[in-house]
Amino acid sequence: MSDYDKAREVAEQAREKEWTRPSFGKQLFLGDFRPDLVHPAPRLSERDTEKGEEFLAALRRYLAESVDPAQIERSAVIPDEVVKGLGALGAFGMTIDEEYGGLGLSHLYYTRALMMAASCSPALSALLSAHQSIGVPQPLRLFGTPEQKQRFLPRCARGEISAFLLTEPDVGSDPARLSTTAVRDGDSYVLNGVKLWTTNGVVADLLVVMARTGAKISAFVVEAGSPGITVEHRNAFMGLRGIENGVTRFQDVRVPAGNLIGREGQGLKIALTTLNTGRLSLPATCAGAAKWAAKIAREWSGARVQWGHPIGEHEAVARKIAFITCTAYAVEAVVDLASRLADDETNDIRIEAALAKLYGSEMAWRVADELVQIRGGRGYETAESLHARGERGVPAEQVLRDLRINRIFEGSTEIMHLLIAREAVDAHLSVAGGLIDPKADMKAKGQALAKAGSFYARWLPTLVTGPGQLPTSYAAFGALAVHMRYVERTSRKLARATFYAMSRWQGRLEHKQGFLSRIVDIGAELFAITATCVRAKEDSRTHGPAPVELADTFCHQSRLRCEALLSRLWDNSDTRDVRLSRHTLEGRYTFVEDGIIDPSMDGPWIAASTTPTGNDVHRNIH
């Protein structure tokens, strides 16, 4: 078996295979637009709403009065007193049930809190979300024993910081090559290995560690102060300067067997399931940044005058303002809807959460880039420099740097495309997978053919026509009904394209990553249109026609992006790109690199992390 096949098998074993609850995203990719699954959006109880609003008010006061974002950027450290203050406020226990000392907030108010924290300082939201969304609280909530919850969750709620350790120097999105080991020795496991990019790891009290137990991967809660654990380096990045991210070494670290989360071999499943809702924290921080960008774009474009008019009145800038404002509203709508679905727990939101992460990170980056362009030279200048010469210290360039990591964090854009695409074609693989399985014999292929024939005989006719072709459909959405009809029609078109691709490329489809990424991006736009229309209809009760105006313009922008992606499904340069890339790697075009000086410092591309450095930069806050 090739390394690729091994990696694929590990990933396939870890993913959730059953769909026991309805999924708006799954049906969308099948050409079955189901607005009834998301509209009206689920509402919280009065108590949950009151509790959430009370915490947001307290958090706003604390951030405004006690946090200096410029100091965090300047020093690259969140001050200990700020961390302790957040702990006293209950911010480290937002998602932890009240019975364990947490606040027990809904997903909706958790993401709104992260949105607010991110607008103040993205390092704060990274600290809080890494602790709760992928750190100890979430895996234990889903897979922990009652005893584990009693031992660890109250500590997390009080402010003891947790971190999640999966990535290694030579292992990113390919966990089949994980090298950290956990060997059973009596009533303990002995851990050995090195973990890279351990967000919160430099200051963590508790760790979730993924390690190999034999042939499979398992998850453990590990005390960060255990003998044999060394934080050898604190990493520095282009943005998020305040995050405590490091390199952690385990050398004969003994972990009680009772700290195993779930069963042996469940580690990747735990990680992926944790991320189903944990991923919502990242688009929430993106929404916070986009909303801040909308505020700055509006204020600056009204104050800055060129050629006798505020720059916002010139079409070149007006188009950017419209994009920023509409996109900020849409990204928040996507996060809002996905969070409500997570709270309601009647839908399977693995696709919606992944789409929210993908869409939020990509669109917020574009928003920040356009804000810097509107600000001109001031957008490229640091806030400290602006302030020092007497102008408002707007950190536009910092936000651009801070947002860039979100296209990489918790699954890069490329990995998210593949992950979502796998779920999008799941129905096809479940009925026709045997036809394209090279290991299947003729009998198995015959059975698969019969199964596939039955499924497609029922499914394909549903893609021919639908309510999106009726001018009166979705009338409840008023002026936005035209966009809901577009989603329905395009959903069917997307499903037809996927079926054709399956028929054309069969088992090779998984390697057609350009095609699959466009399929996913179209689905993301359709989900965003739907979420924005649902949000605008609800908001219009409070804000009158303004939300519908925002949603209408956003939907027109989104539809144009969809049409461009649809046209490129079959008319693109993918084959040429792949061929040229292969030649590039072979050294065919090195003349392109002539005449430069490479300023890179000497060293291997990937460090061989086998020799301990002797350094330990771990520090305790509590």
Side-chain angles (χ1 to χ4, degrees), residues 173-483:
S173 300
D174 181 6
R177 298 169 59 228
L178 199 78
S179 61
T180 297
T181 59
V183 178
R184 186 67 182 258
D185 182 21
D187 59 358
S188 300
Y189 286 87
V190 180
L191 269 62
N192 282 281
V194 177
K195 296 294 185 179
L196 177 63
W197 296 324
T198 60
T199 300
N200 288 357
V202 178
V203 295
D205 303 286
L206 294 168
L207 313 170
V208 175
V209 181
M210 296 291 164
R212 185 173 295 282
T213 49
K216 295 186 177 181
I217 297 167
S218 302
F220 301 86
V221 179
V222 180
E223 297 279 357
S226 301
I229 297 180
T230 307
V231 180
E232 294 185 337
H233 180 72
R234 182 179 185 243
N235 301 317
F237 302 100
M238 68 181 283
L240 286 183
R241 285 171 48 79
I243 63 170
E244 300 284 356
N245 180 297
V247 178
T248 302
R249 177 179 297 277
F250 298 86
Q251 191 164 7
D252 295 330
V253 178
R254 300 194 74 87
V255 179
N259 287 22
L260 172 70
I261 306 175
R263 301 188 305 275
E264 276 198 14
Q266 275 194 307
L268 283 184
K269 179 179 177 62
I270 290 170
L272 292 176
T273 306
T274 295
L275 283 172
N276 279 347
T277 53
R279 279 199 176 96
L280 293 178
S281 63
L282 197 147
T285 66
C286 292
K291 287 163 68 70
W292 173 83
K295 177 180 184 292
I296 298 301
R298 173 182 58 81
E299 294 176 345
W300 166 249
S301 300
R304 175 64 163 166
V305 175
Q306 291 281 274
W307 300 300
H309 295 279
I311 61 171
E313 294 182 10
H314 297 291
E315 185 175 296
V317 176
R319 291 173 57 243
K320 298 181 186 300
I321 295 171
F323 169 74
I324 290 172
T325 307
C326 292
T327 303
Y329 185 73
V331 171
E332 183 180 15
V334 166
V335 176
D336 180 276
L337 179 58
S339 298
R340 292 186 186 209
L341 293 174
D343 286 323
D344 188 54
E345 295 186 343
T346 57
N347 280 16
D348 186 321
I349 69 157
R350 73 183 88 160
I351 292 180
E352 290 84 344
L355 287 173
K357 189 276 178 188
L358 171 68
Y359 196 75
S361 59
E362 288 293 324
M363 298 307 286
W365 166 254
R366 294 191 208 176
V367 162
D369 185 57
E370 293 288 30
L371 176 65
V372 168
Q373 192 70 17
I374 289 174
R375 289 275 291 160
R378 290 172 174 84
Y380 194 67
E381 190 174 359
T382 68
E384 292 272 34
S385 177
L386 288 163
H387 187 65
R389 61 182 182 79
E391 292 193 0
R392 183 172 177 181
V394 178
E397 61 83 28
Q398 179 194 331
V399 169
L400 189 67
R401 289 186 287 104
D402 288 342
L403 281 172
R404 185 59 182 83
I405 188 59
N406 294 320
R407 298 176 62 210
I408 300 171
F409 259 169
E410 296 180 20
S412 68
T413 290
E414 292 72 24
I415 292 299
M416 296 308 298
H417 278 142
L418 298 181
L419 185 152
I420 298 167
R422 173 62 185 87
E423 300 297 350
V425 301
D426 184 57
H428 300 282
L429 292 178
S430 66
V431 298
L435 289 173
I436 59 178
D437 184 356
K439 294 181 289 187
D441 57 24
M442 292 305 297
K443 180 179 179 181
K445 286 183 181 292
Q447 293 172 337
L449 179 63
K451 185 179 179 181
S454 175
F455 171 77
Y456 289 121
R458 295 191 310 272
W459 178 66
L460 287 174
T462 68
L463 304 182
V464 177
T465 186
Q469 293 170 286
L470 300 176
T472 57
S473 295
Y474 312 113
F477 285 88
L480 300 177
V482 63
H483 302 303

Side-chain angles (χ1 to χ4, degrees), residues 12 16 71 74 115 122 133 149 162 218-219 313 354 370 424 427 441 445-446 472 497 519 527 534 538:
E12 192 63 21
E16 292 183 77
Q71 180 190 1
R74 190 184 313 118
M115 200 181 302
S133 296
K149 294 176 182 179
S162 67
S218 302
E313 294 182 10
E370 293 288 30
D441 57 24
K445 286 183 181 292
T472 57
I519 288 287
F527 180 47
V534 169
E538 181 178 310

Side-chain angles (χ1 to χ4, degrees), residues 83-84 86-97 100-103 127-128 130-141 148-163 200 204-208 221-223 622:
V83 178
K84 293 176 183 177
L86 289 170
L89 200 64
F92 287 96
M94 286 187 280
T95 64
I96 298 174
D97 291 340
Y100 301 112
L103 299 180
L127 168 71
L128 296 172
H131 167 74
Q132 290 168 96
S133 296
I134 56 176
V136 170
Q138 184 72 351
L140 287 193
R141 187 179 75 83
Q148 288 173 335
K149 294 176 182 179
Q150 289 288 351
R151 282 175 58 204
F152 297 117
L153 292 184
R155 293 171 57 184
C156 293
R158 287 194 300 268
E160 291 193 40
I161 300 170
S162 67
N200 288 357
D205 303 286
L206 294 168
L207 313 170
V208 175
V221 179
V222 180
E223 297 279 357
H622 302 283

Side-chain angles (χ1 to χ4, degrees), residues 26-53:
K26 177 174 181 284
Q27 296 307 120
L28 185 73
F29 283 106
L30 282 172
D32 180 20
F33 179 46
R34 292 283 306 278
D36 59 295
L37 293 177
V38 297
H39 176 71
R43 301 187 70 85
L44 295 177
S45 68
E46 187 175 331
R47 181 178 181 276
D48 284 342
T49 301
E50 183 179 335
K51 184 168 58 173
E53 291 292 342

Side-chain angles (χ1 to χ4, degrees), residues 112-130:
R112 287 182 178 176
L114 292 178
M115 200 181 302
M116 183 184 295
S119 67
C120 176
S121 169
L124 295 178
S125 61
L127 168 71
L128 296 172
S129 64

